[in-house]
């Protein structure tokens, strides 16, 4: 007997699966798990606890869990050519917090991007950085080139002598100038932490930048954006920070670290050893194609001076037509899923003037430049109100029917990622 409440929950989840199956998902923070990684999420690991580190657990029954965690950790170290890696953070924000609390003190000076300039909320006052009570200072940003102003940043580093320079971001179109900042940072004793949450999969594929080799002390990240693993976090870098980071993660920030996610991450790391380069290459090709075609169709795609994008993201100023929120809602009615976004000319708390698009999930489904060209026309027509939503929605559903298998993983053709797995036939 299944209660009415549970029936309603299952019904809504099934409706969501149908929506995603029939939609063009362009949320830059999302991706799809491979069948083998998804298998890990429903394993018995999801029921268990393993506080501590492999071989030093507080509970018994962890011998196989230990082996999986060691394997996943070694794969992460190998993939990112790092002295140490920790797969226990359960989100990208917790990976950031592990660095903030492990290596810095309350009142230390932080330089980071503002949110309108692309900085993540965890880099600013009212989130993770604020919890550490940093003295937060803004990194100078070029609003046309959509990247850091190097000379102005170097001047500011010399002037305020920060303890931490936090690079990376939530809107992250182009590699950040780590090498150009590193020398001056060292001169004043500042550490560089690179938040690679959005671009971790591109880094794994060797197609964006290599933060450690360019001078970052630590790299934090999410494991589910361009990196197509389970939702979670990762931190890696120099071994001289390893013990402080590990102690901060446990027992400081995490008790049990979601063992089924660790297993799924290990599987994804194993798959990405073989697929990351091709996957990252096609992601960037698709993003460039989408951006260029949107621009050619009359939309104000940002970053033109630098070729629009070098990552999975495209940023569009839609203020000539409407607010970012209303444009995103209009696109959603046609089953094109994007998010409204602040752009550098906006202020926090104001109505968003832009929309942000990410192509990593569509790439995972096998879409390439030709589909990006088709999609750009539909988006432009909707934004400029040249075509009715219902007509484009029909085209979206028709296109998506041909792209419901996974690529760049093992056994991708065997499982539709949007299929609801019905374990109880009631």
């Amino acid at each position: 007997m299944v209660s009415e409440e549970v029936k309603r929950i299952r019904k809504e989840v099934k409706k969501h699966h149908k929506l995603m199956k029939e939609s063009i998902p362009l949320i830059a923070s999302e991706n799809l798990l491979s069948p083998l990684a998804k298998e890990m999420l429903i394993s018995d690991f999801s029921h268990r606890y393993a506080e501590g580190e492999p071989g030093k657990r507080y509970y018994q029954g962890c011998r196989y869990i230990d082996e999986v965690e060691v394997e996943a950790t070694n794969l992460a170290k190998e993939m990112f050519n790092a002295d140490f890696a920790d797969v226990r953070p359960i989100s990208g924000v917790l990976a950031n917090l592990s660095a903030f609390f492990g290596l810095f003190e309350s009142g230390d000076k932080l330089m980071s991007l503002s949110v309108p300039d692309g900085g993540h909320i965890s880099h600013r006052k009212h989130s993770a950085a604020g919890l550490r009570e940093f003295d937060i200072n803004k990194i100078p940003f070029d609003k046309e080139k959509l990247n850091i102003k190097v000379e102005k940043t170097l001047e500011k580093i010399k002037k305020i002598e920060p303890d931490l320079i936090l690079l990376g971001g939530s809107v992250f179109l182009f590699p950040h100038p780590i090498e150009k900042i590193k020398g001056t940072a060292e001169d004043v004793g500042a550490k560089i932490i690179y938040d690679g949450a959005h671009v971790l999969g591109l880094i794994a594929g060797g197609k964006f930048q290599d933060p450690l080799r360019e001078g970052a002390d630590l790299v934090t990240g999410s494991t589910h954006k361009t990196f197509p693993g389970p939702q979670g976090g990762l931190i890696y870098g120099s071994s001289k920070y390893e013990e402080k980071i590990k102690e901060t993660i446990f027992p400081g920030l995490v008790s049990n670290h979601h063992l089924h996610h660790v297993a799924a991450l290990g599987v994804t790391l194993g798959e990405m050893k073989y697929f990351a380069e091709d996957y990252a290459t096609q992601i960037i090709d698709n993003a460039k194609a989408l951006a260029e075609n949107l621009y050619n169709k009359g939309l104000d795609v940002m970053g033109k001076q630098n070729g629009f994008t070098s990552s999975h993201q495209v940023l569009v100023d839609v203020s000539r037509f409407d607010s970012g929120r209303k444009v995103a809602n209009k696109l959603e009615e046609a089953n094109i899923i994007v998010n409204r976004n602040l752009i550098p000319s906006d202020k926090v708390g104001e109505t968003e003037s832009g929309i942000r698009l990410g192509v990593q999930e569509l790439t995972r489904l096998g879409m390439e430049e030709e589909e990006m060209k088709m999609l750009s026309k539909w988006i432009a027509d909707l934004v400029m109100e040249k075509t009715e939503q219902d007509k484009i929605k029909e085209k979206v559903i028709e296109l998506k029917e041909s792209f419901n298998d996974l690529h760049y993983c093992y056994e991708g053709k065997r499982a539709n990622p949007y299929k609801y797995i019905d374990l109880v036939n009631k």
Side-chain angles (χ1 to χ4, degrees):
M1 180 70 178
V2 177
S3 71
E4 291 303 314
E5 296 90 343
V6 171
K7 287 180 180 178
R8 287 197 295 271
I9 290 171
R10 293 181 81 212
K11 181 179 179 181
E12 296 305 313
V13 173
K14 289 180 179 182
K15 284 160 64 176
H16 172 81
H17 275 252
K18 183 176 185 295
L19 171 64
M20 289 298 107
K21 182 177 182 295
E22 296 178 347
S23 294
I24 297 294
L26 287 164
I27 300 295
S29 306
E30 300 174 352
N31 214 317
L32 297 166
L33 278 176
S34 75
L36 291 178
K38 189 179 290 186
E39 185 180 88
M40 298 298 100
L41 292 189
I42 60 172
S43 73
D44 189 71
F45 274 38
S46 66
H47 306 144
R48 306 304 164 193
Y49 257 59
E51 292 183 340
E53 298 180 43
K56 303 176 184 178
R57 303 297 192 189
Y58 288 76
Y59 298 160
Q60 308 312 118
C62 296
R63 68 185 76 170
Y64 305 117
I65 291 167
D66 285 0
E67 293 298 324
V68 169
E69 187 171 322
V70 168
E71 192 74 55
T73 301
N74 288 337
L75 282 165
K77 289 163 61 176
E78 178 186 353
M79 173 156 287
F80 298 107
N81 191 17
D83 295 335
F84 98 94
D86 202 307
V87 297
R88 292 177 298 169
I90 59 175
S91 72
V93 170
L94 274 178
N96 283 340
L97 280 170
S98 70
F100 295 167
F101 279 86
L103 303 180
F104 302 96
E105 301 294 333
S106 175
D108 280 353
K109 292 180 181 178
L110 163 67
M111 285 181 63
S112 61
L113 291 172
S114 71
V115 172
D117 290 342
H120 189 255
I121 54 173
S122 66
H123 305 174
R124 304 304 296 171
K125 181 178 180 180
H126 298 293
S127 189
L131 289 175
R132 195 64 186 108
E133 298 182 324
F134 284 131
D135 175 4
I136 302 175
N137 301 268
K138 181 178 173 181
I139 292 176
F141 192 75
D142 189 319
K143 300 182 189 301
E144 295 299 321
K145 295 181 179 179
L146 297 183
N147 211 332
I148 292 167
K149 291 182 177 179
V150 174
E151 293 304 320
K152 292 290 185 182
T153 298
L154 297 181
E155 290 174 10
K156 194 164 187 176
I157 292 171
K158 292 173 185 177
K159 180 179 179 180
I160 72 170
E161 298 187 351
D163 301 283
L164 166 60
I165 300 168
L166 185 55
L167 303 179
S170 184
V171 175
F172 202 179
L173 302 177
F174 306 106
H176 281 172
I178 308 170
E179 290 179 301
K180 294 178 180 179
I181 292 172
K182 179 64 175 177
T184 304
E186 285 184 328
D187 289 344
V188 302
K191 294 181 178 67
I192 295 176
I193 294 177
Y194 181 100
D195 186 338
H198 270 274
V199 296
L200 195 67
L202 307 181
I203 293 169
K207 298 298 177 183
F208 192 67
Q209 64 185 131
D210 187 342
L212 286 188
R213 255 48 62 188
E214 293 173 33
D217 295 285
L218 287 171
V219 178
T220 64
S222 301
T223 53
H224 53 272
K225 296 177 182 175
T226 52
F227 197 86
Q231 293 200 8
L234 176 70
I235 185 167
Y236 65 87
S238 170
S239 58
K240 65 183 176 180
Y241 306 119
E242 180 173 6
E243 288 309 311
K244 287 186 177 180
I245 295 297
K246 286 183 177 297
E247 290 172 2
T248 304
I249 293 172
F250 178 86
L253 294 171
V254 176
S255 174
N256 187 51
H257 49 284
H258 300 183
L259 309 173
H260 51 317
H261 285 204
V262 173
L265 175 58
V267 168
T268 308
L269 285 160
E271 290 182 320
M272 286 297 103
K273 278 183 66 175
Y274 301 99
F275 298 108
E277 183 176 357
D278 289 343
Y279 182 42
T281 299
Q282 191 60 54
I283 286 173
I284 295 169
D285 287 348
N286 282 352
K288 286 183 176 294
L290 180 61
E292 290 168 3
N293 280 285
L294 286 170
Y295 179 80
N296 290 336
K297 288 174 174 58
L299 295 190
D300 298 323
V301 183
M302 303 187 71
K304 183 177 184 292
Q305 287 190 29
N306 287 339
F308 300 113
T309 184
S310 296
S311 75
H312 62 303
Q313 296 183 359
V314 177
L315 187 64
V316 185
D317 179 352
V318 295
S319 59
R320 281 197 298 124
F321 306 100
D322 216 325
S323 68
R325 177 191 292 270
K326 289 183 178 179
V327 168
N329 287 341
K330 187 185 299 183
L331 292 172
E332 185 178 17
E333 291 298 316
N335 282 23
I336 297 173
I337 313 298
V338 307
N339 70 272
R340 66 186 189 273
N341 216 95
L342 294 171
I343 63 175
S345 59
D346 292 336
K347 294 181 180 179
V348 175
E350 291 184 346
T351 300
E352 300 88 350
S353 297
I355 57 172
R356 183 184 65 168
L357 303 87
V359 301
Q360 71 289 340
E361 185 169 339
L362 297 183
T363 307
R364 183 84 151 145
L365 293 168
M367 291 193 188
E368 296 184 351
E369 290 90 334
E370 190 59 34
E371 286 74 38
M372 297 303 108
K373 184 177 181 180
M374 190 182 310
L375 180 57
S376 69
K377 183 179 187 311
W378 298 341
I379 293 173
D381 285 353
L382 284 168
V383 172
M384 295 187 282
E385 298 184 336
K386 292 183 176 180
T387 307
E388 293 179 2
Q389 292 163 319
D390 288 347
K391 292 182 178 179
I392 291 181
K393 182 176 180 178
E394 291 175 5
K395 295 177 181 179
V396 165
I397 294 172
E398 182 181 1
L399 173 67
K400 194 67 180 299
E401 286 178 355
S402 301
F403 292 95
N404 275 307
D405 292 317
L406 285 176
H407 294 241
Y408 310 104
C409 65
Y410 301 127
E411 308 295 341
K413 293 291 184 181
R414 292 176 54 186
N416 183 325
Y418 304 109
K419 182 180 179 181
Y420 182 86
I421 300 172
D422 200 334
L423 299 178
V424 180
N425 189 23
K426 289 186 179 180

